[in-house]
Amino acid sequence: MLISFKSKSSPEVLMYQEHAQRILDILHKNPTRGVITPAEAGDALALLEKEVAESKLHPENDIEHDAHTPETLEDGETGAHARAQKVHFSQRAYPLMEMLRAAKAEGESITWGI
């Protein structure tokens, strides 16, 4: 299922629920629907920045839905190619973090599922 994050301050951000789940868990938000108010945006951004920094310090723990395991390599795909295709938490969180920055600066809310 897709989650569509919306705000008047920036373009819409779409994420699969399975990818957004970690972000929403960090923010203590429901994946079905919710809101991040302008007053919450600064704290939400700080929490995500802390998690991004932590994931960069310990990349071995950054297990962001790695679909490329030795058992699931496609024909002709090497292990090195599969590792290069891995999407890290910081990359997944970046669009929403940019939305949070804009929402905070412009005093707008971020909503999803509404």
Side-chain angles (χ1 to χ4, degrees):
M1 177 160 77
L2 283 175
I3 295 179
S4 174
F5 295 96
K6 298 177 184 177
S7 178
K8 292 179 181 178
S9 63
S10 60
E12 180 177 33
V13 172
L14 291 172
M15 281 189 207
Y16 284 111
Q17 182 175 344
E18 64 190 58
H19 298 153
Q21 187 67 52
R22 180 174 173 189
I23 294 169
L24 294 172
D25 286 347
I26 292 166
L27 302 179
H28 306 288
K29 296 290 184 176
N30 185 321
T32 307
R33 64 189 224 180
V35 64
I36 299 172
T37 65
E40 295 174 313
D43 290 339
L45 187 57
L47 286 170
L48 290 177
E49 287 172 341
K50 180 180 176 188
E51 185 70 14
V52 165
E54 188 67 27
S55 71
K56 287 181 178 182
L57 284 175
H58 303 286
E60 68 278 2
N61 296 331
D62 192 6
I63 51 170
E64 224 11 65
H65 305 284
D66 190 2
H68 296 281
T69 62
E71 301 82 31
T72 62
L73 291 177
E74 297 175 11
D75 289 339
E77 185 177 33
T78 65
H81 179 262
R83 284 187 298 279
Q85 297 300 312
K86 183 176 179 178
V87 178
H88 298 277
F89 176 73
S90 60
Q91 293 166 302
R92 295 234 190 259
Y94 182 80
L96 190 58
M97 290 172 67
E98 285 298 299
M99 181 180 264
L100 282 164
R101 286 182 184 99
K104 179 182 172 190
E106 296 181 25
E108 297 290 344
S109 294
I110 296 173
T111 61
W112 61 96
I114 297 174

